[in-house]
Amino acid sequence: MPKKETFQDLSLPALKGEQELWRWLYTELRAAILGGRLKPGARLPSTRSLAKQYSLSRGTVIAAFDQLLSEGYIRTQVSSGTYVAPIMPGQWLQANRRRSTLKVPASKATLSKRARAMIHGIDLLAPSHSVGKAFRSYEPAIDLFPVELWSRVASRVLRHAPRSLYGHGAAGGYQPLRRAIAEYIGGARGVRCVPEQIIVTSGAQQALDLAARFLLDPGDHVWMEDPGYSGTTQTLRAAGAKIIPVPVDQDGFDVKAARKLSPKARMAYVTPANQFPLGVTMSADRRLELLNWAASIGAWIVEDDYDGEYRYHGRPVAALQSLDHSGSVIYIGTFTKMLFNALRLGFMVVPERLANAFEAARSFVDRHPPTLDQAILAEFITEGHFGLHVRKMRQTYLERLSVLKEAAQKHLDGLLTIEDAAAGMRTIGWLPAGASDKLASKQASMLGLEVSALSAFALKKTQKPGLILGFAGCTPHELRRGVSVLSTDLRGSR
Amino acid sequence: MPKKETFQDLSLPALKGEQELWRWLYTELRAAILGGRLKPGARLPSTRSLAKQYSLSRGTVIAAFDQLLSEGYIRTQVSSGTYVAPIMPGQWLQANRRRSTLKVPASKATLSKRARAMIHGIDLLAPSHSVGKAFRSYEPAIDLFPVELWSRVASRVLRHAPRSLYGHGAAGGYQPLRRAIAEYIGGARGVRCVPEQIIVTSGAQQALDLAARFLLDPGDHVWMEDPGYSGTTQTLRAAGAKIIPVPVDQDGFDVKAARKLSPKARMAYVTPANQFPLGVTMSADRRLELLNWAASIGAWIVEDDYDGEYRYHGRPVAALQSLDHSGSVIYIGTFTKMLFNALRLGFMVVPERLANAFEAARSFVDRHPPTLDQAILAEFITEGHFGLHVRKMRQTYLERLSVLKEAAQKHLDGLLTIEDAAAGMRTIGWLPAGASDKLASKQASMLGLEVSALSAFALKKTQKPGLILGFAGCTPHELRRGVSVLSTDLRGSR
């Protein structure tokens, strides 16, 4: 056996410090391989003889060999022995060298088209660093959320949950939560469903995304409200849909206009209870027209009922889904607007014939929603805390809207006309004709306010200039301060 | 004014029972409209005169009108009055009729092609109703999870979290968790990254799905391990990718074979630390070859390191990502396998140049992961509980593997040869040549065991017949019981 192929000649340096024996042997052998002292293909002595030579236990040698083996430095061949693997030590070293001296080219790999469509032209919502900020529109009154109560319910659920709740959950959601949701929305929104039709999601956004992915093929036409929710348009684009902007008037989504624009659309996206962002309610005849169209051609209707319960005039308008007899409506609701954003729990109600398929497909998207959060929410609902909180918030939001209107009447007269919101968590402040809402919102941002321009949600139809003002999540003090800042802003820009 | 256009003639029935006045008025007016007594276009009297006529407060009449207005039954025209809306009462009634008498056709609308691809030929994982079941392979030892400790940490976090944590969170994840993860995987897996490269996901499955959606266009070729993880193949199919099955041998993924099959693939999916399902470790030369290929043509490598820390021989093999200098690797890890499935928190480490884009695109998928769960996990990691738990589990799983091997030696000799798993939560039991693993697994299921056939994960290459046996999540008692049941099963089927 030629010397260079054996290990016996290699003098390993002595063990330093407190290192484990196997790790010392492993490190030295690896260094010998990488340094070229042990060449590719060289045969190593048996673990037995190596142990004897270095006065080690055989287990120590085996541990070192195992590690080298599992990292690919050495190879074992049955009844033949152990060899240095045929790796290129130069290659290995090059890859381990510092970045600055590398020859490895930076990857030219790119994002997919759908990812680029998804992020094209959007502003990322920043995480909240404060609560109650004027005029943030996407957060409920987190300053008034009963944190103590929620924590108590959570602690109880976590302590008493059976261990199976820590295991793999159901793709459609935790069954007691699905039951609680079905019962609640049956009463509060007139939605007709059995618990199995409910798919618990990560807020309304995931429900929108799942609906787009599971129901649309690339090139499909989708009727989209104009102006409309950008969270929907981005998701539709990512699914490869062709968006057909449909005008919204005082009766909501204009079904007749839509039928002219694209009679064979595969889906319609609507916010019937409180149109985003205009705040109008879809009329009964439009609802029926939309349902009849969908049933007759086999199209889907996505009903986004993101804050349908916060209605200040009259009782909440029943959901469109309550009138659907053909199984065309996907109803979407969310607890992020009813409780708090960070919870990330919402749901969709799908027609019965879709329930199994949605549950199965969802399991390959993210398996299932977090079970313990669902169990906490289920308790919160069935113990009545949820209903009580929503009723309290409805009263609070009405008061906050009044604060906004009063302050605006005093300080924004002639500058901004506040729409009297009939529902929801935001309203529109109309600017004088000819003003630029984009400029006004940009200036407001620089003054520390969160104000969106109505035109930012326009797809095709030009809208009157307006600012979208959240009021529900803003403290009265912040609302007054915001109005005062806005007054400076708008006076300055006139 | 012609009589039929006025309201004065309509005799409303008296109020029955405890109903609120406005609701009685609303109901009766709606009935009059739907029944055709109030025709489309009919003008209603003023709220003032109606209040007087029926001895109601004006507020009551306004409340009823508001409700009718918001539901679209009536219309107001400025300085002209209130009219019945031009709806078709027949249409409305038809939609409200019982399902059995409906003329509305059942919708013919269908699922998208991608949803059908996603659910084609899959078995849905059922929710856990028990823990520790033999031979479930996708759950860690939930019977030993420190529920009390987790609950204590959770209670503390929920009680002391600033309210801003209840608001909208960061799309990439809660920053302290991203920091904790970056630090931990730097030490434990050699992954080199800054916290901003980490995108917190709903388990590894969402990370796989995001990688497929954000990095692949329809028709792109993807190198996929054969046999390989079905959670990946379904997701790749849904993204429209063309899957190129690449054989796996004792050195892991065969890069040379892959280059012959499709030199210009856009992505490679690999499980280098513990190949799913064969359990082999990818050798160092294969790793370098794969990295060099990806860097040279601008392809992505998705490294799924789902249980890389549970290594029983030698120390965990460092992640492939630690050798990547071109920014080609997307590294995926998950806490569902390290802690418990129901948590639904995992993460991906993306190259720095992708971090912003991934964060933005993710916000349209599901906005962000649940913040409070992330805060609890961050505490659990930084307080050292996580590292301790993983070390304990490594010991436990090694013991459970021994239990399985011992029991199998006694009762399955000649029927099933248990592979000595070097890592992970499952191993393979090899059946005699010529046996059908699908049949054996089906029979085992009927006897109450959870056993997958190796061939269920084969794409193209025929595998030797084998059964995938989870051991980490199964109690020793269940493992022994399972072996005994399996012995009956396999003896019977010989």
Side-chain angles (χ1 to χ4, degrees):
Chain A
M1 198 184 286
K3 277 192 171 183
K4 69 175 172 107
E5 284 193 356
T6 67
F7 189 62
Q8 278 82 346
D9 293 321
L10 208 73
S11 313
L12 296 180
L15 176 63
K16 281 173 235 133
E18 301 262 314
Q19 221 175 8
E20 289 167 285
L21 284 169
W22 78 266
R23 190 179 291 278
W24 161 78
L25 183 61
Y26 155 77
T27 308
E28 292 306 330
L29 288 173
R30 192 180 60 166
I33 293 167
L34 290 176
R37 280 179 295 158
L38 271 173
K39 297 270 182 301
R43 193 161 83 94
L44 275 69
S46 70
T47 51
R48 196 180 299 271
S49 63
L50 199 60
K52 203 172 164 194
Q53 192 182 353
Y54 285 91
S55 305
L56 299 166
S57 82
R58 198 164 156 230
T60 300
V61 182
I62 290 173
F65 270 37
D66 271 357
Q67 186 62 35
L68 292 166
L69 200 62
S70 67
E71 293 192 5
Y73 290 100
I74 61 174
R75 296 285 169 83
T76 352
Q77 276 168 33
V78 179
S79 69
S80 152
T82 305
Y83 296 84
V84 175
I87 62 164
M88 299 294 104
Q91 227 179 350
W92 179 262
L93 285 171
Q94 184 188 19
N96 267 318
R97 236 181 266 152
R98 295 175 62 84
R99 190 169 292 222
S100 55
T101 63
L102 271 181
K103 295 270 167 54
V104 181
S107 169
K108 301 175 298 288
T110 54
L111 285 180
S112 66
K113 286 191 190 77
R114 88 189 106 212
R116 289 196 298 266
M118 217 150 180
I119 63 180
H120 178 73
I122 60 109
D123 290 324
L124 193 56
L125 291 185
S128 301
H129 292 299
S130 60
V131 299
K133 195 122 183 291
F135 295 95
R136 192 177 293 158
S137 61
Y138 53 85
E139 283 179 358
I142 285 164
D143 56 315
L144 299 177
F145 183 74
V147 167
E148 275 292 329
L149 173 63
W150 182 265
S151 305
R152 275 206 306 279
V153 175
S155 298
R156 180 154 33 90
V157 167
L158 291 179
R159 275 198 314 274
H160 299 300
R163 278 186 187 260
S164 60
L165 279 201
Y166 287 77
H168 192 83
Y174 178 57
Q175 196 62 17
L177 178 61
R178 296 164 97 184
R179 275 199 299 270
I181 293 173
E183 191 172 329
Y184 188 83
I185 58 176
R189 310 291 300 120
V191 172
R192 298 177 308 176
C193 66
V194 293
E196 287 68 25
Q197 286 174 259
I198 289 174
I199 309 286
V200 178
T201 59
S202 174
Q205 189 63 41
Q206 190 185 32
L208 290 170
D209 190 43
L210 295 184
R213 292 180 78 188
F214 295 171
L215 302 177
L216 294 176
D217 285 305
D220 282 343
H221 286 205
V222 177
W223 290 355
M224 173 72 204
E225 297 173 330
D226 181 12
Y229 180 53
S230 51
T232 305
T233 48
Q234 302 303 122
T235 285
L236 291 173
R237 279 184 189 129
K242 180 166 166 47
I243 292 172
I244 310 294
V246 174
V248 173
D249 60 22
Q250 73 282 0
D251 292 323
F253 186 88
D254 189 341
V255 184
K256 280 194 180 54
R259 297 184 74 154
K260 271 182 209 144
L261 287 163
S262 176
K264 294 283 183 192
R266 190 165 178 187
M267 181 187 281
Y269 169 81
V270 287
T271 49
N274 178 23
Q275 203 274 333
F276 185 94
L278 295 177
V280 294
T281 306
M282 194 174 185
S283 68
D285 50 344
R286 293 267 177 94
R287 288 173 188 237
L288 292 171
E289 198 180 351
L290 184 62
L291 285 166
N292 285 338
W293 163 79
S296 67
I297 73 155
W300 298 109
I301 298 170
V302 172
E303 175 180 25
D304 187 355
D305 197 32
Y306 58 99
D307 65 359
E309 290 198 58
Y310 293 134
R311 188 147 201 103
Y312 311 119
H313 304 307
R315 66 171 174 92
V317 183
L320 179 62
Q321 196 268 7
S322 68
L323 300 172
D324 175 28
H325 293 277
S326 67
S328 307
V329 173
I330 315 290
Y331 174 88
I332 293 176
T334 181
F335 294 100
T336 61
K337 296 279 186 286
M338 298 289 144
L339 295 172
F340 59 94
N341 301 62
L343 179 60
R344 304 311 308 144
L345 286 175
F347 60 91
M348 62 207 302
V349 180
V350 302
E352 276 177 278
R353 70 185 193 288
L354 285 191
N356 288 340
F358 260 60
E359 198 171 3
R362 187 270 173 73
S363 82
F364 292 101
V365 170
D366 62 355
R367 291 296 177 199
H368 65 84
T371 312
L372 298 169
D373 293 347
Q374 293 182 85
I376 297 164
L377 176 57
E379 284 284 290
F380 201 79
I381 296 174
T382 50
E383 287 175 3
H385 306 308
F386 177 71
L388 183 65
H389 183 66
V390 170
R391 285 194 296 279
K392 273 189 192 166
M393 288 305 105
R394 195 181 293 134
Q395 186 56 36
T396 298
Y397 297 171
L398 190 55
E399 286 161 19
R400 291 183 172 190
L401 176 59
S402 302
V403 170
L404 172 61
K405 286 192 297 188
E406 273 178 39
Q409 259 164 11
K410 267 190 213 158
H411 302 289
L412 292 170
D413 194 37
L415 298 168
L416 201 67
T417 312
I418 305 290
E419 184 84 22
D420 189 15
M425 295 166 43
R426 41 148 237 286
T427 188
I428 294 181
W430 297 107
L431 289 162
S436 162
D437 55 10
K438 282 199 172 125
L439 185 65
S441 92
K442 201 177 159 189
Q443 285 171 342
S445 297
M446 290 190 298
L447 295 167
L449 299 181
E450 296 189 18
V451 174
S452 304
L454 179 57
S455 61
F457 298 96
L459 294 168
K460 199 173 167 198
K461 195 183 168 191
T462 311
Q463 299 293 328
K464 289 190 290 177
L467 299 177
I468 296 174
L469 305 173
F471 57 84
C474 312
T475 61
H477 173 78
E478 258 293 290
L479 286 170
R480 289 193 194 96
R481 190 191 72 86
V483 164
S484 155
V485 173
L486 209 50
S487 143
T488 320
D489 171 22
L490 297 177
R491 264 175 237 287
S493 67
R494 274 216 295 195
Chain B
M1 195 185 287
K3 277 194 171 182
K4 69 176 170 106
E5 284 192 356
T6 65
F7 189 62
Q8 279 79 351
D9 292 322
L10 208 70
S11 314
L12 297 180
L15 175 64
K16 280 174 233 128
E18 301 261 315
Q19 222 176 5
E20 289 167 285
L21 284 171
W22 76 266
R23 190 179 291 278
W24 161 78
L25 183 61
Y26 154 78
T27 308
E28 291 305 329
L29 286 174
R30 192 179 62 163
I33 293 167
L34 290 176
R37 280 178 296 160
L38 272 172
K39 296 269 181 303
R43 193 161 84 91
L44 274 68
S46 69
T47 51
R48 195 180 300 273
S49 63
L50 199 59
K52 202 172 162 198
Q53 192 183 353
Y54 285 92
S55 307
L56 300 165
S57 82
R58 198 163 156 231
T60 300
V61 180
I62 289 172
F65 270 38
D66 271 357
Q67 187 61 35
L68 291 166
L69 201 61
S70 66
E71 294 192 4
Y73 291 99
I74 61 174
R75 296 283 168 82
T76 353
Q77 277 168 34
V78 179
S79 70
S80 155
T82 304
Y83 296 84
V84 175
I87 61 164
M88 299 294 106
Q91 232 179 344
W92 179 262
L93 285 171
Q94 185 187 16
N96 266 317
R97 235 181 267 153
R98 296 175 61 84
R99 190 169 290 222
S100 56
T101 63
L102 272 181
K103 294 272 166 54
V104 182
S107 169
K108 300 176 298 286
T110 55
L111 285 181
S112 67
K113 286 191 192 76
R114 88 188 106 214
R116 289 196 298 264
M118 217 149 179
I119 62 180
H120 179 73
I122 60 110
D123 289 325
L124 192 56
L125 291 185
S128 300
H129 292 299
S130 60
V131 299
K133 196 125 182 288
F135 293 95
R136 192 178 292 158
S137 60
Y138 52 85
E139 283 180 358
I142 286 163
D143 56 315
L144 299 176
F145 184 74
V147 167
E148 274 292 329
L149 173 62
W150 182 266
S151 305
R152 275 205 307 279
V153 175
S155 297
R156 178 155 35 88
V157 168
L158 291 179
R159 276 198 315 272
H160 299 299
R163 277 185 189 262
S164 60
L165 280 201
Y166 287 78
H168 193 82
Y174 178 57
Q175 196 62 16
L177 178 61
R178 294 164 97 184
R179 275 200 299 271
I181 292 173
E183 192 173 326
Y184 187 84
I185 59 176
R189 309 293 299 120
V191 172
R192 300 176 308 176
C193 66
V194 293
E196 288 68 27
Q197 286 173 259
I198 289 175
I199 308 285
V200 179
T201 59
S202 173
Q205 189 62 40
Q206 191 184 33
L208 291 170
D209 190 43
L210 295 184
R213 292 179 77 186
F214 295 171
L215 302 177
L216 294 176
D217 284 307
D220 282 344
H221 286 204
V222 178
W223 291 354
M224 173 71 203
E225 297 173 330
D226 181 11
Y229 180 53
S230 52
T232 305
T233 48
Q234 302 303 124
T235 286
L236 292 173
R237 279 184 189 130
K242 179 165 167 48
I243 292 171
I244 311 293
V246 175
V248 174
D249 61 21
Q250 74 282 1
D251 292 322
F253 185 88
D254 188 341
V255 184
K256 281 195 179 56
R259 296 183 75 154
K260 271 183 209 143
L261 288 163
S262 175
K264 293 283 184 193
R266 191 165 180 189
M267 179 185 282
Y269 169 81
V270 286
T271 49
N274 178 22
Q275 202 272 334
F276 185 95
L278 294 177
V280 294
T281 307
M282 195 174 183
S283 69
D285 50 342
R286 294 267 177 94
R287 287 172 189 237
L288 292 171
E289 197 180 352
L290 184 62
L291 285 165
N292 286 338
W293 162 79
S296 66
I297 72 156
W300 299 110
I301 298 169
V302 172
E303 175 181 23
D304 187 354
D305 197 31
Y306 58 99
D307 64 0
E309 290 198 58
Y310 292 135
R311 190 151 198 99
Y312 310 119
H313 303 308
R315 67 173 174 88
V317 182
L320 179 62
Q321 197 267 7
S322 69
L323 301 171
D324 175 29
H325 293 277
S326 65
S328 306
V329 173
I330 314 289
Y331 174 89
I332 293 176
T334 181
F335 295 100
T336 62
K337 296 279 186 285
M338 298 290 144
L339 295 172
F340 59 94
N341 301 62
L343 180 59
R344 304 310 308 146
L345 287 175
F347 59 92
M348 60 206 306
V349 181
V350 302
E352 274 177 282
R353 70 185 194 288
L354 285 191
N356 288 341
F358 260 61
E359 198 171 3
R362 187 269 174 74
S363 83
F364 292 102
V365 170
D366 62 354
R367 290 297 177 201
H368 65 84
T371 313
L372 298 169
D373 293 346
Q374 294 182 84
I376 296 165
L377 177 57
E379 284 284 290
F380 200 79
I381 296 174
T382 52
E383 288 176 3
H385 306 308
F386 176 72
L388 182 65
H389 182 66
V390 170
R391 285 195 296 280
K392 273 189 192 168
M393 288 304 105
R394 196 180 292 134
Q395 187 54 39
T396 298
Y397 297 171
L398 190 54
E399 287 161 17
R400 291 184 171 188
L401 176 58
S402 304
V403 170
L404 172 62
K405 285 192 297 188
E406 273 178 38
Q409 260 164 11
K410 265 191 217 160
H411 301 290
L412 293 171
D413 193 37
L415 298 168
L416 202 68
T417 310
I418 305 290
E419 183 84 21
D420 190 16
M425 295 165 44
R426 39 146 240 287
T427 188
I428 294 182
W430 297 107
L431 289 163
S436 161
D437 55 10
K438 281 198 174 126
L439 184 64
S441 92
K442 202 175 158 191
Q443 284 171 343
S445 297
M446 290 191 296
L447 295 167
L449 299 181
E450 296 190 17
V451 173
S452 304
L454 179 57
S455 61
F457 298 96
L459 293 168
K460 200 173 163 198
K461 193 182 167 192
T462 310
Q463 299 293 329
K464 287 191 292 176
L467 299 177
I468 297 174
L469 305 173
F471 57 83
C474 312
T475 60
H477 173 77
E478 257 293 291
L479 287 170
R480 289 193 194 98
R481 191 190 71 86
V483 165
S484 155
V485 173
L486 210 49
S487 144
T488 319
D489 171 20
L490 297 176
R491 264 176 235 287
S493 68
R494 274 215 295 195

